[in-house]
Amino acid sequence: MTKALFEVPATPLVPVRGETAAFPVHRIFCVGRNYAEHAAEMGFEVDREAPFYFTKPVSAIVATGSTIAYPPGTSNFHYEMELVVAIGAPAFKVGVDEAANAVFGYACGLDMTRRDLQIAYRVKQRPWSLGKAFEQSAPIAEITKAADYGAIGPQRIHLSVGDEVRQDAHLSDMVWSVAELISHLSQFYHLVPGDLIFTGTPAGVGPVVSGDAIHGEIEGLQPVEVVIGDAE
Ligand code: MN
């Protein structure tokens, strides 16, 4: 067997409610503009022809309860509260009606964003990577297994910074359902256990600064909470 030249960071693990073993993260897919009011606040209409995606590296994963550094290269660091779908079975070119078989569970997650860089690169028609795909940009709470959660729809999704509610919507406001997203993504990727899908954020995104405490919650799931630390 070939020996590795050096050690690389271990696969991040996300705790699972009621399990001693944790969920290993393989890939992170993120959906853009999946709530109409958020698309509008960003100056766009929702594209109802198809969802679109970007990705984050697994180094973006950070546990709820962490203090995350205010990242370099930005002066407009934003929160986005999202439902995260954890994939637990292979899915490739599956239909919407089969997509639920691939779901392991759900979690609260934050798609932390260097908004100034995202917008600057978008304007230049360049990739968003510097704005979205960076270390500690995907805080995530414990996963609840799908069988213990029930149907996605009426649950409230909300986020506060300190005492102030900034985002407040329902999962039924999503333009593309979880099943539609899995079916669509599976036309392009072999989804495998360990994949995560961040399903997009409601309206109300905004900046945070060092010292802010973020609390994001979806009814029935463990909240995701981070404190913004000093700038790096
Ligand atoms: Mn997002």
Side-chain angles (χ1 to χ4, degrees), residues 10-165:
T11 299
L13 299 174
V14 181
V16 177
R17 185 181 297 183
E19 292 281 344
T20 49
F23 183 94
V25 180
H26 175 55
R27 291 181 293 192
I28 305 169
F29 298 99
C30 304
V31 181
R33 298 175 207 151
N34 200 27
Y35 290 75
E37 288 182 17
H38 170 63
E41 75 181 349
M42 295 300 290
F44 293 90
E45 280 189 28
V46 167
D47 180 352
R48 292 181 192 273
E49 279 179 25
F52 73 93
Y53 311 94
F54 56 92
T55 61
K56 289 178 186 267
V58 292
S59 57
I61 292 289
V62 59
T64 185
S66 300
T67 294
I68 62 172
Y70 193 99
T74 185
S75 54
N76 196 17
F77 187 37
H78 274 211
Y79 56 80
E80 295 190 359
M81 176 63 201
E82 311 205 355
L83 172 72
V84 183
V85 178
I87 298 296
F92 181 59
K93 296 188 176 179
V94 297
V96 173
D97 53 345
E98 313 159 83
N101 299 329
V103 178
F104 176 81
Y106 304 105
C108 289
L110 297 171
D111 166 15
M112 299 303 294
T113 301
R114 294 193 271 222
R115 189 74 70 202
D116 41 3
L117 296 185
Q118 181 202 11
I119 291 172
Y121 281 76
R122 193 179 71 202
V123 166
K124 291 182 180 174
Q125 300 190 318
R126 291 175 181 168
W128 293 3
S129 298
L130 285 184
K132 288 289 196 179
F134 54 95
E135 294 99 338
Q136 298 193 310
S137 65
I140 186 169
E142 172 190 76
I143 295 169
T144 294
K145 286 189 270 189
D148 299 333
Y149 193 61
I152 296 291
Q155 296 90 350
R156 186 176 166 221
I157 175 171
H158 55 109
L159 177 142
S160 301
V161 178
D163 295 334
E164 195 178 322
V165 178

Side-chain angles (χ1 to χ4, degrees), residues 176-187:
W176 302 100
S177 70
V178 168
E180 287 169 332
L181 292 170
I182 290 171
S183 173
H184 186 259
L185 253 185
S186 81
Q187 309 305 310

